[in-house]
Amino acid sequence: MGSGVPREPVVYTDKELLERHVDGDPDAFTELVHRHRDRLWAVALRTLGDREEASDALQDALISAYRAAHTFRGQAAVTTWLHRITVNACLDRARKAKSRRTYPMPEQERLETLLDPHESAEAPAERTDLRRELREALDKLPAEQRAALVLVDMQGYPVAEAASILETPVGTVKSRCARARARLLPLLRHLRPVPPGDAPVRNRAPGTPVPPPRDSGDAGAVRGGGTHS
């Protein structure tokens, strides 16, 4: 007789799930997709900027991964392999789109300050505008620059891992990110929060004293930004 203690469910690694899929397990690939679909969807949506296009690209990518699972040799993590297939599917769609205008700009900076501004009372509306304008600005980038920027600045991948996903040298990924930031920042700089005390003073007569700030009662409060999405 058994001990009556329920057995713990077996948790397979990504690689084991892929191997089981190749061996004919009908549920293994579905489990693998459930683990990673949210990040794959985020990459597809931010790379293409259009929900329908991103959905189609992700579907193409998952079908490709399903069919090509037997070719996986383990040189990279399964997640890297899935992201690579997804990014390639997005780039294929982006390259077929109309050619986009680009703007050579000098400034280099990560997009963190644009993605997570200091929240204010109008934060929900402001973030909706920010996301819309960010999508429109991303759409102006060449596809390869956009893919690199999405992985590194928006998804938080280390440059080396992004290079593995894109099958591109690390230096190339760094260069693409730098060029993409230089193009984007001038288009989005107006959305960045102005630090207290830095706002320009207009229409004040020379010699007129600046009125003291009103005590709001929460001068010492710290407002936190959002997390990277």
Side-chain angles (χ1 to χ4, degrees):
M1 294 180 62
S3 64
V5 178
R7 297 177 61 183
E8 291 290 331
V10 178
V11 179
Y12 296 103
T13 66
D14 290 346
K15 186 177 180 181
E16 288 170 342
L17 283 175
L18 202 60
E19 290 170 348
R20 291 179 67 84
H21 163 64
V22 172
D23 291 340
D25 185 332
D27 300 319
F29 192 78
T30 299
E31 175 61 27
L32 187 63
V33 171
H34 284 167
R35 286 185 186 180
H36 303 294
R37 63 184 174 186
D38 287 348
R39 290 202 85 183
L40 296 175
W41 168 247
V43 168
L45 182 59
R46 285 171 166 170
T47 300
L48 290 171
D50 179 271
R51 297 185 70 86
E52 185 174 348
E53 284 288 306
S55 178
D56 289 345
L58 183 56
Q59 181 175 336
D60 291 346
L62 293 178
I63 291 172
S64 296
Y66 184 94
R67 293 174 176 171
H70 67 282
T71 68
F72 180 76
R73 295 292 178 262
Q75 292 94 338
V78 173
T79 52
T80 299
W81 179 73
L82 289 172
H83 277 77
R84 181 182 302 152
I85 294 173
T86 301
V87 170
N88 285 338
C90 292
L91 293 179
D92 286 343
R93 285 185 171 270
R95 291 187 188 109
K96 293 174 184 177
K98 63 181 181 180
S99 60
R100 296 181 172 95
R101 232 178 123 191
T102 57
Y103 305 84
M105 299 292 182
E107 187 173 348
Q108 305 278 325
E109 187 178 333
R110 288 180 67 87
L111 291 175
E112 293 161 347
T113 54
L114 292 171
L115 295 172
D116 293 307
H118 294 292
E119 301 279 341
S120 67
E122 295 77 24
E126 289 175 355
R127 287 193 67 78
T128 297
D129 290 341
L130 171 64
R131 293 181 185 280
R132 175 179 54 78
E133 296 200 36
L134 180 58
R135 284 196 301 269
E136 292 174 356
L138 281 170
D139 195 50
K140 293 178 169 61
L141 295 176
E144 289 78 6
Q145 291 181 14
R146 192 185 325 143
L149 194 74
V150 165
L151 289 173
V152 175
D153 277 13
M154 302 181 74
Q155 292 300 115
Y157 283 99
V159 173
E161 189 172 353
S164 179
I165 291 172
L166 298 170
E167 296 185 289
T168 304
V170 168
T172 301
V173 173
K174 290 180 178 179
S175 176
R176 288 177 180 175
C177 287
R179 291 175 181 174
R181 293 168 196 143
R183 294 174 188 271
L184 280 183
L185 286 167
L187 303 178
L188 299 172
R189 190 182 289 114
H190 64 286
L191 296 174
R192 296 175 64 179
V194 178
D198 287 358
V201 178
R202 297 175 184 169
N203 301 324
R204 180 154 35 92
T208 303
V210 179
R214 283 190 259 176
D215 183 4
S216 61
D218 60 354
V222 177
R223 294 177 179 176
T227 57
H228 287 192
S229 56

